Amino acid sequence: MELHQVRLLARIFFFFIFLTTLQHSCSARILTTISKPDRHDYAASARWLVSQNIWGVLSTLSIDHEGAPFGNVVSFSDGLPEKGSGIPYFYLTTLDPTARNALKDQRASLAISESPIGTCKSDPMNPTCSKLTLTGKLLLLDEGSKEAEVAKKALFTKHPEMMDWPKDHDFRIFKLEITNIFLINWFGGAKPITVDEYLHAKS
C-alpha cells in the first residue's frame, strides 16, 4: 500500500472518530438544556437530577443471594427531553437479575448523581454534588397499556440503541413507583421532600 493511501485511510479513520464523538456530545447536550434549580427548591432539584440523567444504579433484593441487596447500572428515562414526569422508566430483560428480582419482590431503589451531568466539579461524595435515591416498587407495566407506550417512547428517545436490542431477550418495561425520596444537594443532611411535592414540582 502506497504512502498516500495510508494517509487517506488514516484521515478517514480519524474523521469517523470525530463524528462519533460529536454525536455523543450532541446527545449529552440535549439533556442539559434545563438549568440547575436553586438549591433551596428541593423538589425541583430532585426532578432536575432525574430529568438530566440517563443512567443510575437500580437496586433490588436478590433471589439468587438470599435477599441481599443487588445494585445494577441501568439506563432510564422519565420522559421526553424537557417534558419529564419524574417517574423513572426502565427497559429490562428478564435474562438479567434485576428484572427477575423485581418480579419476585418489587422493593427497589434508584440512586443517581449530579456528577455524570457535568455540572459538579467536586468529588461525587461531596454534599455540594447533588445525589438522589428514590425508593419504592419496581413495577412491570402491561405491554399494551397507554403508560407502556408513553414509557417506551421516552426510553427510545433518550436511548435510541434500545430499539435494536434483541427481540428474543424478553425486554419488558418497568417503572419505579416512588414511596420515599432521599436528596442531598448541600451541607446539612438529607432534604425533606414528599412524593407529592416531587411529582408536582415545576421545572
Side-chain angles (χ1 to χ4, degrees):
M1 185 178 293
E2 296 183 8
L3 181 59
H4 74 278
Q5 292 177 314
V6 173
R7 288 176 177 173
L8 178 60
L9 288 174
R11 288 174 182 172
I12 293 173
F13 172 77
F14 285 114
F15 182 67
F16 173 77
I17 295 298
F18 168 76
L19 288 178
T20 303
T21 304
L22 182 63
Q23 179 182 9
H24 288 299
S25 298
C26 291
S27 298
R29 281 197 292 271
I30 290 174
L31 299 177
T32 55
T33 55
I34 302 175
S35 59
K36 185 176 179 179
D38 185 284
R39 65 180 177 85
H40 297 100
D41 191 341
Y42 305 139
S45 296
R47 286 286 297 273
W48 176 80
L49 281 170
V50 172
S51 71
Q52 297 302 287
N53 265 294
I54 60 172
W55 67 271
V57 176
L58 183 60
S59 297
T60 52
L61 300 178
S62 174
I63 59 175
D64 298 320
H65 302 288
E66 301 179 346
F70 177 80
N72 201 359
V73 172
V74 298
S75 300
F76 74 91
S77 175
D78 77 322
L80 299 177
E82 300 190 31
K83 295 182 180 180
S85 66
I87 300 173
Y89 294 105
F90 309 90
Y91 194 51
L92 306 174
T93 170
T94 55
L95 300 179
D96 186 89
T98 298
R100 295 201 307 271
N101 293 342
L103 292 174
K104 292 291 185 180
D105 190 328
Q106 297 173 336
R107 289 176 292 176
S109 65
L110 174 67
I112 57 178
S113 168
E114 182 184 351
S115 187
I117 301 174
T119 52
C120 172
K121 304 304 180 184
S122 56
D123 188 272
M125 285 188 66
N126 189 305
T128 62
C129 191
S130 301
K131 53 196 67 68
L132 177 72
T133 301
L134 302 175
T135 304
K137 296 179 179 180
L138 190 57
L139 306 179
L140 175 65
L141 297 184
D142 293 333
E143 188 173 347
S145 68
K146 183 178 180 180
E147 185 176 15
E149 289 301 314
V150 171
K152 184 181 290 187
K153 185 176 181 180
L155 285 161
F156 288 2
T157 298
K158 287 189 177 179
H159 307 278
E161 181 184 323
M162 288 181 174
M163 291 185 284
D164 298 323
W165 288 357
K167 304 302 181 185
D168 61 352
H169 279 39
D170 194 30
F171 279 96
R172 311 279 191 90
I173 297 176
F174 290 78
K175 78 170 181 179
L176 185 65
E177 184 177 82
I178 304 166
T179 58
N180 185 266
I181 300 167
F182 178 89
L183 170 73
I184 291 181
N185 68 344
W186 199 254
F187 299 98
K191 311 307 179 188
I193 313 172
T194 68
V195 175
D196 187 66
E197 289 171 340
Y198 169 82
L199 292 177
H200 293 92
K202 295 181 180 180
S203 298

